[in-house]
Amino acid sequence: MFKSLLSKALLVLPFIAQPILADPIVWKIYDQQREFYVLGSIHAGKEAMFPLPDIFLEQWQQADALIVEANILQQSPVTPTLSPPFTHQALPEPVLKKLKKITTTLNIPFEALLQQPPWLTAVTLQLALANKLDLKSDYGIDYVLLQRAQQQDLPILELESVSQQFNMLENLPENGAPMLIETINEWDRTQSSLRCLVKVWQHGDSEKLEQLFQESQIDPTTDDALIFDRNKRWAETLAHTAPYQSGKFMIVVGAFHLIGDQGLPNLMKQQGFKVEKITSGTKAECP
């Protein structure tokens, strides 16, 4: 899932040149009145993921707005509703034992996780793993671009609110237990996939990215809630609501939202837009 809802303190933007130039996938989606330049985000990253592709940054200079999932720079008064069943109630004993081992390797408190809803425990594990792998939300693509937009007074538009994101998580099947059980049972694969994801994103390797996406699937209901239903709402919003009827827009959403028949680019094509992938990418080698 690799999602972060955290807001972090302002830091210097890492748009200076680095030894390795990232070439992630950029889509151009357009009709006669509007252009959307779409970049998939990893919500936690590292400095070597910058600078972003020239083709994206060049279009940024003439952009009318930045579009994101949610503006995580804004302080939100919303807090999640922590309702049962909690983790200790939702997991069978063998899975609880695995969870305890994982918390030891991540150096996070096992007992505290037991009192959380399963969806929140899953998010906590994923964030702790990202931190262990030296992936920081400070270098998340959406976070960095939100900072850039804020400093340049570029309007920021949200496809959904933080409140809606919490509501989505709180209404996952069985309070997120299937997502948590999958995370725990596939922990070794989760670690290797997250390491690989950064490299695949940097290379813009479409084939490998789709493979990682398919491996991340949980169950149809959970996948619909986390990915596919949101994609459909976003496509309808971009195609038909007032703020997006003319102009040039930069879009940054999670990279997994851009993949396959139910990905945002293909859904926009079904809405009548022309869709082009405007970066080439290279093959990524993951261990």
Side-chain angles (χ1 to χ4, degrees), residues 148-253:
R148 183 180 176 94
Q150 187 178 73
Q151 291 185 355
Q152 296 179 353
D153 294 322
L154 182 67
I156 297 168
L157 302 174
E158 297 178 297
L159 292 168
E160 59 195 18
S161 64
V162 171
S163 175
Q164 287 174 308
Q165 291 185 337
F166 277 136
N167 184 67
M168 169 196 66
L169 292 166
E170 291 162 6
N171 286 281
L172 288 175
E174 301 174 53
N175 218 13
M179 179 171 72
L180 176 58
I181 291 170
E182 175 79 6
T183 300
I184 293 169
N185 286 337
E186 300 294 335
W187 187 248
D188 289 342
R189 190 183 72 186
T190 298
Q191 294 183 82
S192 63
S193 294
L194 186 52
R195 289 190 187 97
C196 185
L197 178 63
V198 174
K199 183 178 292 187
V200 168
W201 180 90
Q202 286 179 285
H203 282 259
D205 187 337
S206 299
E207 184 177 339
K208 187 63 177 178
L209 188 63
E210 182 157 4
Q211 179 185 330
L212 290 173
F213 175 61
Q214 295 299 331
E215 290 174 355
S216 77
Q217 302 300 282
I218 300 168
D219 62 71
T221 305
T222 300
D223 297 335
D224 282 347
L226 291 173
I227 302 289
F228 302 123
D229 289 346
R230 297 167 74 200
N231 291 352
K232 293 173 185 175
R233 287 196 300 271
W234 296 349
E236 288 288 330
T237 296
L238 293 169
H240 300 298
T241 58
Y244 311 106
Q245 294 309 296
S246 64
K248 179 179 288 190
F249 303 93
M250 315 306 291
I251 300 180
V252 182
V253 296

Side-chain angles (χ1 to χ4, degrees), residues 9-21:
L10 194 66
L11 81 166
V12 176
L13 288 173
F15 275 78
I16 58 174
Q18 299 296 330
I20 301 174
L21 181 64

